[in-house]
Amino acid sequence: MTIRRLAALPLLAALLAGCGIRATEVPTDFGAAPSRVPCSLTGPDRSAQSSRGVPVQVFLLCGASLVAVDRTVPVPEGTPDARRRVIVAQGLLDQLAASPSPAERSAGYTTYVPGGLGVRGPGPKDPEDALRLSTAPSRLTSYALAQLVCTLSDSAATEGDGSVILGGPDAGPLRRYECTDEVRDRPGGTRPPSSEVTG
């Protein structure tokens, strides 16, 4: 019996060795490793959406990247366009600052946008599509700024071209911020690229 067991050991070792992945000199690319955070809801999260309002999307953090989730922002009918932009922008900021719903939290979503952040329209010498925050964008964390820029840049509050003009509360310089793929993928390590707006 002992001899049979000893004789079977080399065969067993060969079988186990054959289960591995063989080395190859041909380059292969099977994509990124799967994320451990699901970042997906089983269905529409009705608790995070009000029954009335303009459908919008906000970017929350899930895992190490930004993910869009559906929301609604109430806007009174007949609101002039200039005022409407500011109402939508403030609604988006409020949605970003609010705690994610229980379903979103359990799926791994979170937000870094501080509460109490306000927004107003352009000053007398600002471009008409500029938005001024109650806190200078430079004072926000990389995560919070990425969430704001990506949410506002593709909304009814801006031109929808993937960028947004933001400034602080005073008549200081304005900057045009862009929401890029890199910002969405790495909001903690990549601040949104920006350029100064003049005139």
Side-chain angles (χ1 to χ4, degrees):
M1 192 67 130
T2 305
I3 295 174
R4 283 183 190 169
R5 287 181 181 167
L6 290 175
L9 283 178
L11 180 60
L12 181 61
L15 287 172
L16 290 175
C19 292
I21 298 174
R22 294 183 186 135
T24 175
E25 294 182 12
V26 179
T28 57
D29 182 11
F30 296 103
S35 170
R36 293 183 181 180
V37 182
C39 296
S40 62
L41 300 169
T42 55
D45 187 6
R46 303 296 181 194
S47 65
Q49 302 176 39
S50 61
S51 57
R52 295 182 184 178
V54 177
V56 295
Q57 286 192 320
V58 299
F59 281 87
L60 299 180
L61 188 74
C62 192
S65 61
L66 295 181
V67 181
V69 296
D70 295 326
R71 293 284 192 272
T72 54
V73 171
V75 178
E77 289 186 22
T79 303
D81 286 347
R83 180 69 187 138
R84 179 186 176 91
R85 287 181 57 251
V86 176
I87 290 175
V88 170
Q90 185 63 63
L92 291 170
L93 264 61
D94 294 342
Q95 292 285 351
L96 285 170
S99 178
S101 70
E104 289 168 345
R105 285 198 302 272
S106 66
Y109 290 89
T110 188
T111 184
Y112 280 80
V113 175
L117 191 62
V119 63
R120 64 177 174 81
K125 297 183 179 179
D126 295 343
E128 63 179 14
D129 57 342
L131 295 170
R132 287 197 171 272
L133 304 175
S134 58
T135 297
S138 59
R139 298 186 63 184
L140 297 172
T141 66
S142 179
Y143 287 116
L145 185 59
Q147 284 184 258
L148 280 175
V149 168
C150 288
T151 296
L152 291 171
S153 65
D154 192 23
S155 73
T158 61
E159 299 297 321
D161 63 351
S163 69
V164 59
I165 299 176
L166 296 175
D170 303 320
L174 295 163
R175 299 191 72 83
R176 181 180 291 277
Y177 294 88
E178 295 180 49
C179 177
T180 63
D181 289 340
E182 190 174 1
V183 170
R184 284 189 290 268
D185 292 342
R186 299 179 58 248
T190 306
R191 289 185 76 84
S194 66
S195 56
E196 189 171 348
V197 175
T198 56

